[in-house]
Amino acid sequence: MERQLMTGNEAMAEAALRAGCRAYFGYPITPQNELLEYMARRMPQVGGAFVQAESEVAAINMCYGAAAAGVRVMTSSSSPGVSLKMEGISYMAGADLPVVVVNVARGGPGLGNIAPAQGDYFQATKGGGHGDYRMIVLAPSTVNEAAALTQLAFDLADKYRVPAMVLADGMLGQMMEPVELPPFVDVGSLPPKPWALSGAQGREPNYVASFALDPYDLRELNRRRLARYQQIEAHEVRWEEVQTEDAEVLLVAYGTMGRIAKTVVRLARAEGTRAGLLRPITLWPFPYGPIRRLAQRIPVVLTVELSMGQMVEDVRLAVEGRAQTPFYGEMGGVVPTPRDILQEVKAHALQRGKHEAGVRPA
Amino acid sequence: MERSVVFAGFGGQGVLLAGKVLARAAMDLGLHVTWLPSYGPEMRGGTANCTVVVSTDPVGSPIVDAPDVLLAMNGPSLDKFEGRVTPGGVIVVNSSLVPRAVTRKDVGEVRLAANDLARELGEPRAANMAALGAIVWAIGTVPLEAVKAAMRGELGAKIGEKAAQANEAALEQGFALGQKTNLGT
């Protein structure tokens, strides 16, 4: 397949169109603007609907409408804008509507800055909106993977009737890399959506809402939702392992930090430290099982993030005390170099070596 | 093998495009490559820059603190990035606009009058390609022919054959000037 140079923002937009996305609603914010611009140009060419809404809140609620009508629909924003979409995402989760939300995350909290950051992990994976719901969260680490996961997000959102998020960051959005775009999906060949509000002539009307006044009714809806979430947890966990077989220090990192950690593994091994990497690709469902399995034989599990420490809580839940679980983070949009992290890896490997040799820490 | 380049200049000097042409050449050669622009508010009226990393291995970080090679198309870019170049690296200075020399003693300097060279070729917009020619020489791992092909792929259809030839000549002359430069290392 032909490779081409694209920014992450462009690649996610083009991949969405190829996945059959025929409605996009957005509102500008750096560093995701190129995604919206690309959609403005390309969506009319494929016969879809593009609206630059008056706000992020309007955009996500336009998604609600399009999704209810059965259309593959997407919105995108960056951290502060995604916060504004949270109410709408909760409503769509409550109405069992598929939608793809792209977050090209930036430094925070608040207005923060426009540099890459991973401070939105909790918001994405722990229910940024109100109520009892889950959202599939996919974390690309390259432009090529951003395109592939955008397409996957549409398939999973439709299959399980849930919102799905692609959690990228400013670096992935802005950078260009070679990308092999997925093929165009024939929209007519996508699985039918018998629940959609497609016109009730000749059939019973469908009902799409996130409202059930009777507690027993809502409990029943939530039980069915829970069953679907359990299916997702059973079948859709995705991760990548790099040289974990003989590792003495296991790095756990996703997205931008995941790709940097790959270089760290290479540098560490060149200097004689057996590092390995587990890179979660789905942040929800989180790869608890694979991390737990590795922690049974790797004594140090080092989580690296562009945050104060968010995913590390899930890593510690996975490890359950089987290994040491140190954390290394950078904040505010600062991206550490591979060498910065290498020092950390070597320090933990050294400490471990002393411990095994019976030397007590001073 | 990994080589990193920062392309820096005023907005409009074509530094982002020069970086993109290099990235495309590297891609066409089957190498791993990243291109990352500065996307902050500094782009408005200030310096624009991009970082290109070319490698035989997957590129971990496209953000580079100490590039191997720097292109300074204007004075502010040299002031801003001179201190960051890795020792033993090369700085290509656009001497059409930057009167001062590189002050560091641990890096090589290529002085290239990119705007004058482009004007003499009858295509003033080709200054960035002249500079890219010298950059390609300084990197040493991407053949000039691949860069010429990438330039045609990127620009050929838009600028026409005459301008494409001028851009090719600019690439060649920039490269040749690099070859002639004694870096004293």
Side-chain angles (χ1 to χ4, degrees):
Chain A
M1 203 184 295
E2 199 202 343
R3 297 204 305 167
Q4 48 186 304
L5 272 182
M6 292 181 104
T7 66
N9 283 332
E10 293 167 340
M12 288 187 281
E14 180 62 30
L17 297 173
R18 288 170 182 240
C21 175
R22 289 297 178 270
Y24 173 92
F25 309 104
Y27 186 80
I29 183 171
T30 307
Q32 70 77 60
N33 285 322
E34 295 78 8
L35 201 167
L36 178 126
E37 285 169 12
Y38 193 94
M39 282 297 194
R41 187 167 66 248
R42 280 280 285 142
M43 188 60 96
Q45 295 172 357
V46 300
F50 169 90
V51 177
Q52 182 174 315
E54 67 270 36
S55 72
E56 288 88 348
V57 175
I60 190 70
N61 286 298
M62 290 175 188
C63 288
Y64 186 116
V71 178
R72 282 195 161 184
V73 58
M74 180 163 104
T75 187
S76 63
S77 191
S78 179
S79 308
V82 175
S83 290
L84 294 169
K85 293 181 192 293
M86 280 297 150
E87 180 200 48
I89 290 171
S90 171
Y91 273 61
M92 294 183 82
D96 300 316
L97 289 174
V99 62
V100 173
V101 179
V102 175
N103 182 0
V104 184
R106 58 189 246 178
L111 201 52
N113 61 26
I114 58 176
Q118 297 181 325
D120 297 355
Y121 180 92
F122 283 154
Q123 184 194 57
T125 63
K126 307 295 177 195
H130 60 278
D132 217 2
Y133 76 97
R134 293 291 192 181
M135 175 165 65
I136 293 172
V137 183
L138 305 171
S141 69
T142 65
V143 172
N144 198 56
E145 192 177 37
L149 293 184
T150 299
Q151 190 160 44
L152 178 66
F154 280 99
D155 291 342
L156 294 179
D158 272 4
K159 181 175 178 184
Y160 296 103
R161 291 182 63 184
V162 293
M165 176 175 280
V166 180
L167 182 58
D169 64 50
M171 196 185 86
L172 287 164
Q174 292 292 320
M175 72 188 288
M176 279 196 215
E177 271 186 309
V179 55
E180 283 178 21
L181 290 166
F184 265 98
V185 170
D186 173 15
V187 176
S189 73
L190 292 170
K193 295 176 177 174
W195 48 264
L197 306 184
S198 53
Q201 201 166 31
R203 63 161 170 79
E204 287 296 302
N206 285 332
Y207 176 78
V208 172
S210 69
F211 186 59
L213 202 51
D214 184 309
Y216 292 96
D217 288 348
L218 184 53
R219 181 177 71 176
E220 179 55 26
L221 287 171
N222 280 347
R223 278 178 173 167
R224 281 187 227 160
R225 219 161 273 142
L226 175 61
R228 275 185 289 132
Y229 294 157
Q230 287 167 340
Q231 286 294 306
I232 295 169
E233 287 176 319
H235 300 296
E236 306 299 349
V237 178
R238 285 168 170 82
W239 74 99
E240 181 190 12
E241 289 183 36
V242 180
Q243 295 195 273
T244 53
E245 304 79 16
D246 64 342
E248 55 187 326
V249 177
L250 178 70
L251 288 150
V252 182
Y254 72 94
T256 284
M257 283 310 302
R259 64 183 291 151
I260 294 174
K262 274 189 195 177
T263 302
V264 176
V265 168
R266 200 167 69 230
L267 294 174
R269 286 188 174 256
E271 297 188 11
T273 301
R274 295 194 311 278
L277 167 68
L278 186 144
R279 180 174 70 85
I281 295 171
T282 51
L283 301 181
W284 192 83
F286 190 75
Y288 291 107
I291 292 173
R292 186 168 301 140
R293 212 161 50 238
L294 291 172
Q296 275 161 4
R297 58 180 168 79
I298 303 176
V300 181
V301 180
L302 170 64
T303 304
V304 188
E305 296 178 65
L306 297 175
S307 77
M308 288 179 188
Q310 299 196 7
M311 181 182 70
V312 65
E313 295 193 1
D314 281 323
V315 173
R316 286 173 180 155
L317 279 175
V319 171
E320 284 181 324
R322 290 174 179 85
Q324 292 173 29
T325 51
F327 172 73
Y328 177 83
E330 261 297 1
M331 291 179 286
V334 176
V335 179
T337 67
R339 293 265 162 211
D340 295 334
I341 303 164
L342 178 65
Q343 294 314 314
E344 201 67 17
V345 170
K346 282 162 68 177
H348 286 292
L350 188 69
Q351 209 173 16
R352 188 69 209 167
K354 279 184 187 159
H355 178 73
E356 280 176 359
V359 180
R360 295 259 162 253
Chain B
M1 186 285 305
E2 186 164 295
R3 301 285 271 163
S4 54
V5 188
V6 168
F7 295 81
F10 288 126
Q13 280 187 303
V15 291
L16 299 185
L17 178 64
K20 195 178 172 193
V21 169
L22 175 63
R24 182 162 173 164
M27 176 180 75
D28 292 342
L29 290 164
L31 293 164
H32 295 275
V33 63
T34 60
W35 175 98
L36 182 70
S38 59
Y39 59 94
E42 64 181 351
M43 286 175 77
R44 292 178 186 88
T47 59
N49 72 78
C50 67
T51 304
V52 176
V53 182
V54 178
S55 180
T56 47
D57 294 307
V59 178
S61 184
I63 298 170
V64 175
D65 286 342
D68 299 309
V69 179
L70 165 67
L71 169 63
M73 282 296 276
N74 64 0
S77 298
L78 184 60
D79 296 342
K80 182 173 179 183
F81 291 108
E82 177 177 355
R84 288 217 224 145
V85 176
T86 204
V90 176
I91 303 180
V92 176
V93 179
N94 177 17
S95 59
S96 298
L97 295 181
V98 187
R100 82 165 175 93
V102 170
T103 55
R104 279 177 60 183
K105 300 296 171 216
D106 60 346
V107 295
E109 177 178 14
V110 177
R111 292 193 70 79
L112 169 75
N115 295 87
D116 299 274
L117 192 153
R119 212 174 297 118
E120 282 159 24
L121 287 167
E123 182 51 70
R125 290 172 301 176
N128 60 342
M129 290 299 117
L132 178 59
I135 294 290
V136 170
W137 169 80
I139 300 171
T141 53
V142 177
L144 185 64
E145 289 309 312
V147 178
K148 281 159 65 174
M151 180 278 292
R152 281 187 173 271
E154 205 60 42
L155 288 174
K158 288 180 221 160
I159 63 176
E161 182 55 27
K162 188 164 168 277
Q165 282 178 14
N167 276 281
E168 249 177 24
L171 279 166
E172 284 166 3
Q173 292 188 24
F175 188 87
L177 188 105
Q179 283 179 311
K180 276 186 282 184
T181 304
N182 178 7
L183 294 179
T185 48

